[in-house]
Amino acid sequence: MALLVDKHRPRNLESLSYHPELSDRLRALAQSGDFPHLLVYGPSGAGKKTRIVATLKELYGPGVEKIKIDARVFQTTTNRKLEFNIVASVYHLEITPSDVGNYDRVVIQDLLKEVAQTQQVDLSAKQRFKVVVINEADHLTRDAQAALRRTMEKYSPNLRLILVANSTSNIIAPIRSRTLLVRVAAPTEGEICDVLRVVGKKEGWRDVEGLNARIAKESGRNLRRALLMYEAVHAQNENLTENTPIPPPDWEALISQIAQQIVQERSPARLLQVRSELYDLLSHCIDPTTIIKTLTWKLIPKTPEEIQPEVVKWAAFYEHRCRLGSKVIFHLEAFVAKYMRVYESHLMGLDFD
Amino acid sequence: MADFFNIKARQAAAAQASSSKAPTTKQEPNRLQPWVEKYRPKTLSEVTAQDHTIQVLSRTLQSSNLPHMLFYGPPGTGKTSTILALAKQLYGPELMKSRVLELNASDERGISIVRAKVKDFARQQLSAAPSYNVMVEDKDAEGGVKQVKYRDKYPCPPFKIVVLDEADSMTQDAQSALRRTMETYSKMTRFCLVCNYVTRIIDPLASRCSKFRFKSLDQGSAVTRVEDIAKLEGVRLAPGVSEELVRIADGDLRKAITFLQSAARLVGNNKPAKGKKRKVVEDEEEEDDRMDVDSAPADSDVVTLKTVQDIAGVIPERTMDDLENAVLSSRNKKNIPYAAIANVVQEMIAEGWSAAQTVGQLFERIMFDERVNDVQKMKIVGYFSETDKRLVDGADEHLAILDLGLRISGVLCQG
């Protein structure tokens, strides 16, 4: 049984439920025959991928839905072998070059060149070009982006790129100026409620207005998350009321527990205890950025108003450090220690500095 | 494909392919060609707003002697266009191929290439210019097309030109490898270096060239150019759009033209394939001319301010107003309004606005805000620089922007 998210994912541009002007634009582009390179950006869970798949379908017809997964091996200049997965249909390829870390340039160069040098095999295809969807384009290294720049111009008759990113900040300007920027904003809470209602109706579940609104709020305008929460609530409870608790994901529960502990007692002993919990989170592959961010949001309401800016300042500081450094736990722990210190000095009414 | 069994057609095709290594863009229908390429100036006189440089270069056209040249200036001011136009006027279509070598940053340009490719080209014997009697059609002549002598139209001076585009991205080693090459072959080869930052060219190279500075385009001429192109392409612009395009592009004409093309694509102006073009609305549009940035345009065929801002990823004024008001609301107060700022920032992140863009636009607003005094501005600039660094390092955007907003707010409330 498929998850709700996949089961009710809109398959074509008509059935997309929000951003109608955006859907119109994508349709116009797909039908015009002169399809530009796209750079689709927006927060996660806003429906970037869904829109891309729908656009591809508009371009090529139902054939794009027949996908297969290829494992390819690439060789770097230092003779290291890289294994790389490609999701492909007859008409398009989908790759996540950031999977191979620093070697993404090799993959981009080899693969795109190979794709671009051959024309569409299927003569009855609607378009002469093939589309390559590049996920997580904002995680590409500068080298890989520079390599893209050349490829985009050179092979434009045979190849169109669709780059998917969370933000355009990390994409170099030459690429930005060569692509058509498409911003996908997160759905509003009202729009999420609408989606939940429609999905609930399809599943034959009873509609609880208040609960839907709460889910929408909890999800932080992330539709994927909202749907998962919706499914979880319905799976765990028989009778739903407005006040049915929404179970948070385990990691989030753990982080809010950590926040609770930190605020309760601010001492080296507590720091030691928190460390083991942080390790626990890290060993479950929770991204350090997510940890610091969630922890900050959980700590802020418990913090006196005067030092809230201070907390955010240090959160941003240590999150940056996490990016630069190699050992994440140092920075996480430093953030916790810093918070304790800021809090303590505020209580005692003096600055330690 | 249909010609597969037609031997003659295949031979013709093969001959054509081998004789001219013409760039593929030529065979494509014009529609698919980027407008930047399509409207590149073809003669020196067409280059906009670089009067001094053009004057000097036009004189060299007559004297048919050319120094080594170094063009520098901000992107999109016509450096590459100028040298290409000059080369075209000097050599004409027939000699262009054999007399001009153009290398840009996307080509491999390490020291080995300079040693091999550039040097080989530089020491090649000059290719023969067409003899004096070859005739060519002159399309620009007064009184219609006329046959003129090739050598009269194109001077064909006895040297070759090597154009090194984006020379500032060449390594130091590669640049020093050029030094001697430039001198040894100066009899029959001229170099033209094109770069953005003249300081990145090593001194020995710079002193061998006569320098031409390309100044940033002034608003007026850039706007005229954009409007010309729009007219030629049949793109209808709402009033004020061309100025906005130039403003967003920061005087970079290439960027402005690229944006214009994307905008035209988006509103569906250049797709003749589509049958149902809305022509009905034309009369109503007259009254509807007043620009409302936030409401969707009634007529989908006209490029509006909103379309342009969408393409460039510019954050609408209203969102920026919200942010600025939230940040500045702490003036003359004791506390930093955490909740207000946090709400605005969260909203912006959910809308998907890019953080780099936010930082840029906020910077412009705060720095030119007279309510903030100079000492405060000084402190604030420091925070902007730190945030920018963080974003470049790939730090989380939400935290970075929130932190920036709070800190600016903090500076203001101390004073």
Side-chain angles (χ1 to χ4, degrees):
Chain A
M1 194 185 103
L3 289 173
L4 283 187
V5 186
D6 297 322
K7 205 164 151 195
H8 298 292
R9 186 188 295 276
R11 305 260 176 238
N12 45 36
L13 285 172
E14 285 77 34
S15 53
L16 290 171
S17 53
Y18 50 93
H19 298 331
E21 15 20 301
L22 182 58
S23 310
D24 283 347
R25 271 186 192 172
L26 289 174
R27 185 176 310 120
L29 285 178
Q31 285 171 349
S32 73
D34 177 19
F35 193 70
H37 299 294
L38 294 184
L39 170 57
V40 183
Y41 66 103
S44 56
K48 300 183 290 295
K49 213 48 177 303
T50 313
R51 275 168 182 74
I52 289 171
V53 173
T55 313
L56 285 175
K57 196 172 172 191
E58 186 75 33
L59 272 174
Y60 294 111
V64 276
E65 283 180 355
K66 287 182 198 133
I67 51 173
K68 61 181 195 297
I69 298 177
D70 274 343
R72 290 275 298 273
V73 178
F74 290 93
Q75 203 158 26
T76 64
T77 41
T78 50
N79 280 335
R80 235 190 86 176
K81 290 220 165 82
L82 302 170
E83 259 211 4
F84 188 69
N85 282 328
I86 303 169
V87 180
S89 79
V90 190
Y91 308 108
H92 84 289
L93 294 179
E94 197 182 318
I95 51 175
T96 314
S98 47
D99 281 355
V100 282
N102 277 329
Y103 295 102
D104 51 0
R105 188 176 60 92
V106 185
V107 172
I108 292 248
Q109 279 178 335
D110 287 8
L111 186 74
L112 290 191
K113 218 169 269 177
E114 188 189 305
V115 174
Q117 279 168 353
T118 56
Q119 284 204 344
Q120 187 73 264
V121 184
D122 186 357
L123 278 179
S124 59
K126 279 195 199 160
Q127 314 289 346
R128 300 295 299 155
F129 54 81
K130 282 181 277 191
V131 173
V132 175
V133 181
I134 298 181
N135 289 323
E136 296 180 27
D138 43 352
H139 292 265
L140 287 176
T141 56
R142 289 288 146 102
D143 279 353
Q145 293 190 32
L148 265 187
R149 171 180 170 177
R150 186 179 173 193
T151 321
M152 277 166 120
E153 285 179 341
K154 213 166 166 187
Y155 301 108
S156 67
N158 286 342
L159 178 74
R160 292 293 185 284
L161 295 178
I162 299 183
L163 307 176
V164 189
N166 278 97
S167 152
T168 55
S169 300
N170 285 333
I171 298 195
I172 57 174
I175 299 222
R176 258 183 286 167
S177 73
R178 280 179 181 78
T179 49
L180 182 57
L181 298 184
V182 179
R183 183 176 59 91
V184 183
T188 60
E189 286 177 15
E191 283 162 344
I192 293 185
C193 284
D194 290 344
V195 173
L196 291 183
R197 193 173 324 118
V198 171
V199 169
K201 203 188 254 170
K202 277 190 198 154
E203 291 289 314
W205 289 344
R206 199 164 56 82
D207 192 35
V208 187
E209 194 105 345
L211 183 66
N212 286 356
R214 267 177 55 225
I215 290 180
K217 198 164 170 46
E218 285 282 304
S219 69
R221 296 179 65 181
N222 180 337
L223 186 59
R224 187 187 310 122
R225 199 146 162 231
L227 278 169
L228 289 172
M229 282 155 83
Y230 186 64
E231 190 169 14
V233 169
H234 278 270
Q236 288 174 1
N237 304 293
E238 286 284 308
N239 282 318
L240 290 168
T241 61
E242 300 225 335
N243 301 322
T244 314
I246 304 167
D250 289 344
W251 56 270
E252 213 179 311
L254 185 55
I255 291 181
S256 58
Q257 189 191 330
I258 293 177
Q260 189 67 38
Q261 288 171 344
I262 296 173
V263 176
Q264 261 170 12
E265 188 190 323
R266 299 162 300 275
S267 65
R270 188 47 67 89
L271 190 59
L272 204 62
Q273 194 185 340
V274 168
R275 173 193 292 167
S276 66
E277 278 161 7
L278 287 176
Y279 260 127
D280 201 22
L281 282 171
L282 286 176
S283 63
H284 283 87
C285 290
I286 308 288
D287 178 38
T289 302
T290 319
I291 298 181
I292 285 206
K293 249 171 98 173
T294 322
L295 190 57
T296 314
W297 305 149
K298 299 276 179 207
L299 282 172
I300 288 286
K302 302 189 202 320
T303 318
E305 206 182 320
E306 296 84 53
I307 56 169
Q308 280 172 354
E310 190 80 2
V311 175
V312 173
K313 176 178 154 192
W314 290 114
F317 179 80
Y318 285 111
E319 199 274 332
H320 179 218
R321 284 284 178 87
C322 277
R323 287 288 159 148
L324 296 182
S326 55
K327 193 99 170 117
V328 175
I329 187 74
F330 292 163
H331 309 295
L332 290 180
E333 216 176 296
F335 172 61
V336 174
K338 194 78 196 178
Y339 177 82
M340 289 178 171
R341 181 191 156 110
V342 168
Y343 198 108
E344 200 71 20
S345 66
H346 173 70
L347 281 191
M348 295 165 77
L350 49 90
D351 280 331
F352 284 136
D353 298 319
Chain B
M1 270 304 176
D3 289 336
F4 191 78
F5 295 105
N6 183 346
I7 280 256
K8 262 189 191 151
R10 282 179 62 197
Q11 276 169 345
Q16 193 192 9
S18 61
S19 70
S20 67
K21 275 198 231 150
T24 42
T25 42
K26 283 228 173 102
Q27 285 133 24
E28 279 174 39
N30 263 349
R31 195 162 64 87
L32 298 180
Q33 197 183 357
W35 293 355
V36 182
E37 292 301 327
K38 198 168 163 188
Y39 294 102
R40 214 180 253 293
K42 295 194 179 58
T43 60
L44 279 180
S45 49
E46 279 178 46
V47 176
T48 12
Q50 308 291 352
D51 302 328
H52 178 68
T53 315
I54 299 306
Q55 210 184 342
V56 174
L57 287 178
S58 318
R59 220 172 291 147
T60 62
L61 262 184
Q62 274 110 48
S63 73
S64 78
N65 190 19
L66 206 63
H68 293 303
M69 288 173 294
L70 174 60
F71 290 0
Y72 64 98
T77 49
K79 299 179 295 295
T80 314
S81 301
T82 306
I83 185 63
L84 288 181
L86 177 69
K88 213 170 270 171
Q89 279 190 295
L90 279 178
Y91 297 117
E94 293 200 7
L95 274 185
M96 255 311 251
K97 289 273 135 36
S98 57
R99 290 282 183 93
V100 179
L101 175 71
E102 191 198 347
L103 290 174
N104 64 29
S106 56
D107 300 306
E108 199 63 47
R109 249 185 348 185
I111 186 162
S112 57
I113 293 294
V114 170
R115 287 219 176 107
K117 209 167 166 187
V118 175
K119 215 167 170 183
D120 275 356
F121 181 81
R123 70 174 162 212
Q124 256 172 26
Q125 218 33 270
L126 289 175
S127 59
S131 66
Y132 193 73
N133 294 326
V134 175
M135 303 297 271
V136 69
E137 280 183 2
D138 186 1
K139 289 194 181 110
D140 313 320
E142 60 263 30
V145 180
K146 229 178 1 188
Q147 291 283 323
V148 292
K149 294 202 164 99
Y150 192 94
R151 295 282 286 270
D152 281 349
K153 188 159 160 54
Y154 306 109
C156 300
F159 51 77
K160 296 169 300 222
I161 296 184
V162 179
V163 181
L164 293 170
D165 212 342
E166 294 159 55
D168 40 5
S169 64
M170 282 168 81
T171 57
Q172 295 261 326
D173 290 348
Q175 290 189 29
S176 21
L178 266 182
R179 288 154 63 162
R180 194 61 194 147
T181 319
M182 273 173 98
E183 282 177 350
T184 322
Y185 303 104
S186 63
K187 233 181 210 164
M188 49 187 182
T189 307
R190 298 287 181 276
F191 281 84
C192 178
L193 307 179
V194 180
C195 64
N196 292 132
Y197 305 102
V198 74
T199 42
R200 301 231 183 110
I201 303 291
I202 56 171
D203 278 346
L205 272 193
S207 69
R208 283 177 173 80
C209 303
S210 57
K211 291 182 197 148
F212 292 94
R213 189 172 75 89
F214 281 68
K215 50 183 186 293
S216 173
L217 291 186
D218 58 304
Q219 183 90 6
S221 49
V223 168
T224 333
R225 187 76 184 139
V226 168
E227 274 167 359
D228 283 351
I229 293 178
K231 204 177 285 163
L232 285 172
E233 286 290 332
V235 181
R236 294 195 289 153
L237 300 177
V241 168
S242 40
E243 285 81 8
E244 179 72 5
L245 272 171
V246 174
R247 199 183 63 79
I248 290 175
D250 273 336
D252 179 345
L253 194 57
R254 174 177 35 206
K255 214 168 170 187
I257 297 176
T258 315
F259 282 153
L260 177 69
Q261 188 174 16
S262 309
R265 259 181 193 153
L266 215 60
V267 294
N269 258 312
N270 63 343
K271 44 173 190 204
K274 205 176 173 189
K276 36 168 187 178
K277 255 200 166 176
R278 292 196 222 162
K279 285 284 173 207
V280 211
V281 263
E282 210 151 305
D283 344 27
E284 295 158 27
E285 177 213 322
E286 249 51 19
E287 302 124 29
D288 212 72
D289 259 350
R290 60 182 184 84
M291 280 310 306
D292 191 352
V293 179
D294 290 302
S295 74
D299 184 352
S300 66
D301 278 6
V302 174
V303 176
T304 61
L305 281 181
K306 189 171 187 305
T307 334
V308 171
Q309 289 180 339
D310 266 2
I311 286 164
V314 174
I315 304 169
E317 294 290 308
R318 213 162 63 186
T319 318
M320 286 311 293
D321 282 344
D322 287 347
L323 181 64
E324 194 186 4
N325 289 338
V327 169
L328 292 186
S329 66
S330 71
R331 281 185 316 127
N332 310 326
K333 278 192 204 151
K334 279 264 182 249
N335 303 345
I336 299 171
Y338 174 82
I341 297 178
N343 277 340
V344 177
V345 172
Q346 192 173 6
E347 189 71 17
M348 289 183 72
I349 296 292
E351 288 292 322
W353 299 116
S354 118
Q357 185 73 32
T358 315
V359 172
Q361 281 185 259
L362 188 65
F363 178 78
E364 250 167 54
R365 275 165 169 258
I366 302 253
M367 284 305 122
F368 296 106
D369 195 319
E370 284 167 10
R371 292 171 290 179
V372 184
N373 66 37
D374 286 353
V375 179
Q376 290 169 338
K377 277 181 187 162
M378 210 177 67
K379 284 185 191 155
I380 291 173
V381 170
Y383 296 143
F384 271 111
S385 113
E386 200 174 326
T387 310
D388 187 57
K389 162 78 175 138
R390 280 185 190 165
L391 289 176
V392 168
D393 285 340
D396 185 74
E397 304 199 332
H398 194 162
L399 280 176
I401 296 290
L402 183 57
D403 180 40
L404 177 67
L406 290 173
R407 286 206 202 183
I408 294 174
S409 204
V411 170
L412 293 179
C413 80
Q414 283 159 16

